[in-house]
Amino acid sequence: MDANESKPAAALGQNRLAGLLDRHARALELLARQYCGCPEDVVQESLVALCGLATAPDDAVGWLYTVVRRKAIDAARAQRRRRHHENHARRDGASWFVALPEDALDAQAAVAALAALPEEHREVIVARVWGGLTFAQIAQTLGTTDSTAQRRYEAALSLLREKMRIPCPNDR
Amino acid sequence: MSERPLSADLAAVEATLASLVPAESSLDRDRVMYLAGRASVRPAKSPRLWQATTVAATLAACALGAALLGRTGPEVVIERVVVQPSRPDVAHVESDSAPLDDFDAEAETRRIQRTARYLRACNMIATRGLDAIPSPPLPEAVEPTPRRPQSLRELLDELQRKNG
């Protein structure tokens, strides 16, 4: 976790914003994709909102993940209202990850396993593994406690291990 | 809070997941930077200010509307006053007849004539202007007083002229 990323937005110059964009854009989009079908719009709105704040949040990264999650949930609700059916596109997972070599983990299997997780587990996994957030930041994002965030994370990893049949290192 | 270390099997799952790289961001980076820069120049105004202003204006409008609807015209108070006709005071009438004995008809006529002339003059000025006022008669020509001798010589000349 880059401690310098948590800076007031007053000091959030172009370089800092570019750094946030490069470091977290993918993970933020992945997080937003868990809820809605327009993750790039949600992330863009959140970044713009961060720069428009009169007083900066203490933790800009945590603030971003919180706002992206909230906006993505709102966007999903709006989409459901418009189309009256569940957006299956966000669950197909075709574009969640970069295609991997054949000998590496099957991205499609990982996506399938992730998509099968309960939402509260999935968002913890995304925020922790690809966002690099601490459990304190995840707790702030989800509106829960640190211990609850960590417990959900461990439970989600256990479920994924079962679904993806990842062998335990001790068994090898 | 200190984070508990993961067990070996969960750490392996975590490492496996971390090997997956999220797909390339589809954000338009230049557009995001532009919008963010614009937003930083124009900080978002507090919505509470607008909400408070709207609520205050709405309340004021409702209060004024209620006052307008409930307004009544000026209250008319009808008061009945019975006026009794006063009887003529006989003593007073008798006392008023006393000055008639001293009534000067000529003086009263002159006073009325002066008043009438004054009123005519006022009326004339009002209708025709100041030029309509007749010029007052010029004073009669007065013979110049003889010049008094100013010196002894003039006095002697004057005496000679009078004595022929």
Side-chain angles (χ1 to χ4, degrees):
Chain A
M1 185 65 44
D2 185 0
N4 291 331
E5 288 175 352
S6 300
K7 289 229 173 174
L12 202 70
Q14 294 288 84
N15 292 335
R16 176 58 59 190
L17 177 64
L20 279 175
L21 203 54
D22 294 339
R23 170 67 183 84
H24 292 281
R26 290 184 178 197
L28 287 169
E29 278 192 46
L30 185 59
L31 178 68
R33 191 169 279 124
Q34 308 304 310
Y35 307 99
C36 69
C38 52
E40 60 278 358
D41 293 343
V42 168
V43 175
Q44 176 175 300
E45 285 177 15
S46 304
L47 285 166
V48 172
L50 173 64
C51 291
L53 288 177
T55 49
D58 293 333
D59 181 5
V61 176
W63 185 92
L64 262 181
Y65 276 83
T66 305
V67 172
V68 164
R69 176 177 177 270
R70 180 166 48 80
K71 284 181 178 291
I73 291 172
D74 290 345
R77 286 186 186 137
Q79 285 171 350
R80 276 197 292 272
R81 278 198 299 271
R82 281 197 299 268
R83 291 190 247 175
H84 297 290
H85 65 79
E86 188 70 24
N87 181 7
H88 295 286
R90 67 185 173 92
R91 293 199 178 273
D92 64 5
S95 58
W96 284 20
F97 299 104
V98 175
L100 294 174
E102 290 183 1
D103 56 343
L105 179 65
D106 184 3
Q108 293 296 333
V111 167
L114 268 177
L117 285 179
E119 191 169 276
E120 61 180 17
H121 288 167
R122 199 158 12 104
E123 57 194 8
V124 174
I125 290 287
V126 172
R128 176 72 176 181
V129 175
W130 294 287
L133 267 60
T134 63
F135 286 120
Q137 288 173 312
I138 294 173
Q140 180 192 357
T141 300
L142 304 182
T144 183
T145 62
D146 299 7
S147 58
T148 301
Q150 186 162 4
R151 196 166 54 246
R152 283 183 192 172
Y153 182 65
E154 291 170 355
L157 286 178
S158 298
L159 286 173
L160 283 174
R161 184 168 63 86
E162 291 171 8
K163 290 179 184 298
M164 297 167 68
R165 294 185 176 81
I166 297 174
C168 177
N170 298 333
D171 298 341
R172 290 175 187 170
Chain B
M1 187 197 102
S2 61
E3 299 179 1
R4 294 190 301 270
L6 288 175
S7 60
D9 55 341
L10 294 185
V13 176
E14 185 183 45
T16 305
L17 287 175
S19 67
L20 290 170
V21 180
E24 191 69 34
S25 171
S26 54
L27 278 178
D28 184 346
R29 182 190 171 89
D30 293 337
R31 177 166 176 74
V32 171
M33 296 297 283
Y34 167 73
L35 292 175
R38 199 174 64 170
S40 65
V41 172
R42 293 186 308 175
K45 293 179 180 175
S46 171
R48 291 184 182 277
L49 177 64
W50 289 107
Q51 289 169 357
T53 306
T54 305
V55 168
T58 305
L59 289 177
C62 290
L64 288 173
L68 185 64
L69 289 177
R71 190 179 68 171
T72 57
E75 187 178 0
V76 178
V77 178
I78 299 175
E79 184 179 358
R80 292 181 181 275
V81 178
V82 179
V83 179
Q84 297 290 342
S86 58
R87 293 182 177 179
D89 190 352
V90 177
H92 182 71
V93 170
E94 287 177 352
S95 66
D96 284 349
S97 63
L100 290 176
D101 297 338
D102 300 334
F103 182 71
D104 186 352
E106 291 184 2
E108 185 65 16
T109 302
R110 285 194 298 272
R111 190 182 66 78
I112 291 173
Q113 287 174 346
R114 280 199 306 272
T115 304
R117 279 198 301 273
Y118 173 73
L119 291 177
R120 272 199 304 274
C122 290
N123 187 34
M124 190 181 300
I125 291 171
T127 55
R128 301 181 191 173
L130 288 173
D131 294 337
I133 301 175
S135 302
L138 292 173
E140 295 179 0
V142 178
E143 290 188 4
T145 55
R147 184 171 176 273
R148 298 181 65 181
Q150 301 293 320
S151 63
L152 181 60
R153 186 171 186 82
E154 286 180 359
L155 179 61
L156 290 175
D157 291 344
E158 178 72 19
L159 287 174
Q160 283 179 350
R161 195 167 48 246
K162 284 186 178 177
N163 295 329

